Amino acid sequence: MPPAAASKLDYVPPDGGWGWAVVLGAFISIGFSYAFPKSLTVYFKEIQAYFSVSYSQIAWVSSVMLATMYAAGPIASILVNRYGSRPVVMVGGLMVSAGMILASFGTSIVHLYLCVGVIGGLGLALNLQPSLTIVGSYFLVKRPLANGLAMTGSPVVLFTLAPLNQFLFDSFGWRGSFLILGAIVMNCCVAGALMRPVNKNIKPIPKTAPPNGEVSEEKQDETKSEGCLKRFVDVSLFRHRGFLIYLIGNCVMFFGLFAPVVFLAPYARHQGIDEYSSALLLSIFAVVDMFVRPSTGFLGNTKWIRPKIQYFFSFAVLFNGVCHLLCPLAQGHAGLIVYTVFFGIAFGMLCALLFETLMDLIGAQRFSTAVGLVTIIECGPVLLGPPICGALVDSLGDYKYLFYMCGIILVGCGLFFFIMHYYNYKKLEEEKDKSASVETRTPEEEEVELKPSPGTHDEDGSGRRGLHCLRGSFGSKDSFSGVCGQRDECVDCHSCLPASAKGHGG
């Protein structure tokens, strides 16, 4: 496994400056990517009646949109690696806008599947991944804080779009609202324009040759990955220990991550709470989530948490699971408010760290490809999780079993992350110590003792011929097993000797 992720950068990120404008652009772009599909549910009831379709058929509009957004991750990776984040995000904004405008003229539900689901979902994919990638190229020391601020865009945009969509629907109907939303989402193009490529010529990091002429594992992985599928997909990531831990844990975690958000309001109504108070729970959840994400980024950037940030993420996953297991104990509206606050804290922590931990594991240079592979694999759990939970409610007739199931999944994933990241950190320390022992020499080892071999003196008696090198190896030269390979003429390694030794023998 490659060592520290930060060592993969051949430049020092600015950690500020124009980077904060990039964070603002990512805030807008990520906000629309995650919040837009959820906010469209306001129009579903009217669209369902207009086209005379079932609830299941209308629900596929947002499902296809989310599925396309996740499944198009590798396509976004290819485009970002080829053209950079700025043009990809701007094209994505245009695609979402075009999809909403075309959908406003739709004559069937299939038309909405294609325009909103496929075209809009692909546009959101081109907004999400480049925004996540470029933040990592501008920040290193303050990266957890920057990612936390960028991820805050999701609850803020959702909190804004929910009442706005209701107002637009009441004033213009669903067709007029789709036209206006097509114009609003063009703000993603403005966000993309802010994503100026980072100046990689600033403060270049000097590259040192590895000892004993060895090629480091990191360089071997990068060389192999450059040739994989013409640099489009870095399949060497599937041999990366940290990436596999992240991928396996997240795939299971996503089965129970979003279902509690989807079924929170129905669960409240099931307990006899009125619709207004049930909807208020989601508003409370969004407000708490909105403030927790940047706070989590700030905590993750501290010197106590940053070196072991994977443990912080593991705690956030475990915290979510515990909240869901305790949810059935919350009785009445007041009890559900308490649960919603703690759930908002736990969910905000997890979302703020979700992509920061991936970047910490594999580094900023490979993040674009990694997040594309992750999203396409996570597409299945994102789509299947809520329907499976809904089927559980239908079969057992009570929402509490849904929360029990999600809680067990997340607690198990949290424990899995704790154990595996402990193992990963331990292996990293062993690899670091092994690398340091090769590169670091004690003063005694640095002294080179020269012994003239009997009968091998030069004509001038300098003793330069037949010198035995008692040092095991010279810098980055090949190992000589205690004796210089040039037994008759120690000229090749003579340049490697310390200044004091060079004077010996002329």
Side-chain angles (χ1 to χ4, degrees):
M1 178 180 179
S7 64
K8 295 183 178 183
L9 295 174
D10 55 357
Y11 67 99
V12 177
D15 269 308
W18 188 258
W20 296 117
V22 172
V23 169
L24 175 60
F27 175 94
I28 298 171
S29 185
I30 292 173
F32 275 105
S33 298
Y34 279 117
F36 202 72
K38 301 174 187 176
S39 67
L40 294 180
T41 56
V42 172
Y43 306 100
F44 280 3
K45 187 175 181 179
E46 177 68 18
I47 296 174
Q48 179 182 356
Y50 185 88
F51 290 119
S52 300
V53 296
S54 66
Y55 180 81
S56 174
Q57 288 175 296
I58 192 63
W60 276 104
V61 174
S62 58
S63 295
V64 171
M65 194 175 200
L66 281 172
T68 305
M69 185 180 77
Y70 276 84
I75 298 176
S77 295
I78 295 171
L79 295 176
V80 170
N81 293 336
R82 178 65 179 86
Y83 300 105
S85 294
R86 175 186 274 175
V88 175
V89 172
M90 297 179 74
V91 170
L94 290 173
M95 290 187 67
V96 181
S97 177
M100 295 304 298
I101 293 173
L102 290 173
S104 68
F105 300 98
T107 57
S108 69
I109 193 66
V110 177
H111 194 169
L112 297 189
Y113 292 161
L114 294 175
C115 297
V116 179
V118 177
I119 299 177
L122 182 58
L124 292 181
L126 300 184
N127 270 266
L128 176 62
Q129 186 171 321
S131 304
L132 295 169
T133 302
I134 196 168
V135 171
S137 67
Y138 266 91
F139 291 89
L140 181 60
V141 176
K142 299 178 182 178
R143 193 178 65 204
L145 177 60
N147 277 324
L149 291 172
M151 292 298 291
T152 309
S154 175
V156 171
V157 174
L158 179 60
F159 187 75
T160 305
L161 281 181
L164 176 62
N165 279 338
Q166 189 62 54
F167 169 77
L168 293 175
F169 175 70
D170 294 338
S171 303
F172 305 101
W174 72 270
R175 291 187 184 274
S177 299
F178 277 21
L179 275 174
I180 297 173
L181 286 175
I184 292 175
V185 82
M186 289 283 286
N187 283 287
C188 291
C189 299
V190 180
L194 293 174
M195 298 178 185
R196 185 176 66 194
V198 65
N199 180 13
K200 296 187 177 182
N201 294 324
I202 54 176
K203 298 181 181 178
I205 299 176
K207 299 180 180 180
T208 57
N212 299 329
E214 298 175 354
V215 179
S216 66
E217 183 181 348
E218 176 186 347
K219 293 299 183 183
Q220 290 177 352
D221 285 345
E222 290 180 358
T223 302
K224 293 176 182 177
S225 64
E226 286 180 356
C228 292
L229 302 180
K230 299 179 180 180
R231 300 185 183 182
F232 287 165
V233 180
D234 189 356
V235 294
S236 68
L237 286 168
F238 291 103
R239 298 191 299 271
H240 193 290
R241 185 172 59 241
F243 178 78
L244 291 177
I245 293 172
Y246 180 91
L247 184 62
I248 294 171
N250 274 28
C251 283
V252 178
M253 179 185 74
F254 269 57
F255 277 103
L257 182 61
F258 295 111
V261 182
V262 175
F263 291 98
L264 178 58
Y267 176 57
R269 290 194 294 271
H270 180 74
Q271 287 196 346
I273 300 172
D274 62 273
E275 292 186 1
Y276 174 79
S277 300
S278 300
L280 182 62
L281 293 176
L282 291 177
S283 298
I284 295 173
F285 174 82
V287 171
V288 174
D289 187 12
M290 187 188 311
F291 288 99
V292 167
R293 294 198 190 197
S295 302
T296 301
F298 177 78
L299 286 175
N301 206 57
T302 59
K303 62 180 180 181
W304 301 282
I305 296 179
R306 178 71 184 277
K308 303 290 183 181
I309 199 169
Q310 303 297 334
Y311 289 149
F312 194 26
F313 176 69
S314 306
F315 169 76
V317 177
L318 186 64
F319 187 17
N320 273 267
V322 172
C323 287
H324 301 328
L325 289 176
L326 297 178
C327 176
L329 301 178
Q331 298 297 323
H333 189 235
L336 285 179
I337 288 177
V338 174
Y339 162 74
T340 302
V341 170
F342 280 98
F343 178 31
I345 294 172
F347 190 81
M349 290 174 60
L350 192 154
C351 291
L353 298 169
L354 185 61
F355 294 107
E356 167 59 29
T357 51
L358 177 60
M359 199 175 296
D360 178 72
L361 286 169
I362 54 91
Q365 285 187 338
R366 304 170 79 183
F367 178 77
S368 176
T369 302
V371 75
L373 294 174
V374 167
T375 53
I376 193 173
I377 295 173
E378 289 175 349
C379 176
V382 168
L383 281 179
L384 297 177
I388 290 175
C389 293
L392 184 67
V393 174
D394 292 336
S395 60
L396 299 178
D398 199 331
Y399 283 91
K400 68 179 182 180
Y401 298 107
L402 177 152
F403 288 92
Y404 284 144
M405 186 187 76
C406 293
I408 291 172
I409 290 174
L410 290 172
V411 167
C413 289
L415 295 176
F416 169 80
F417 279 130
F418 268 117
I419 295 171
M420 295 308 298
H421 284 313
Y422 171 79
Y423 168 76
N424 189 37
Y425 277 129
K426 188 176 180 180
K427 294 294 291 184
L428 282 174
E429 290 176 359
E430 292 176 358
E431 292 165 1
K432 184 178 179 181
D433 293 341
K434 184 178 179 180
S435 177
S437 64
V438 175
E439 296 178 1
T440 306
R441 302 284 182 178
T442 62
E444 290 78 7
E445 292 173 331
E446 291 295 335
E447 292 181 3
V448 178
E449 186 177 347
L450 302 175
K451 285 186 179 181
S453 299
T456 57
H457 288 279
D458 286 333
E459 290 78 10
D460 58 357
S462 64
R464 193 173 166 187
R465 294 187 60 188
L467 294 180
H468 285 236
C469 302
L470 300 185
R471 181 180 174 186
S473 64
F474 287 90
S476 60
K477 302 290 182 181
D478 294 333
S479 178
F480 298 111
S481 302
V483 179
C484 178
Q486 303 287 343
R487 287 190 176 88
D488 295 329
E489 188 66 41
C490 190
V491 175
D492 190 43
C493 58
H494 182 66
S495 59
C496 299
L497 302 178
S500 57
K502 286 184 180 180
H504 190 290

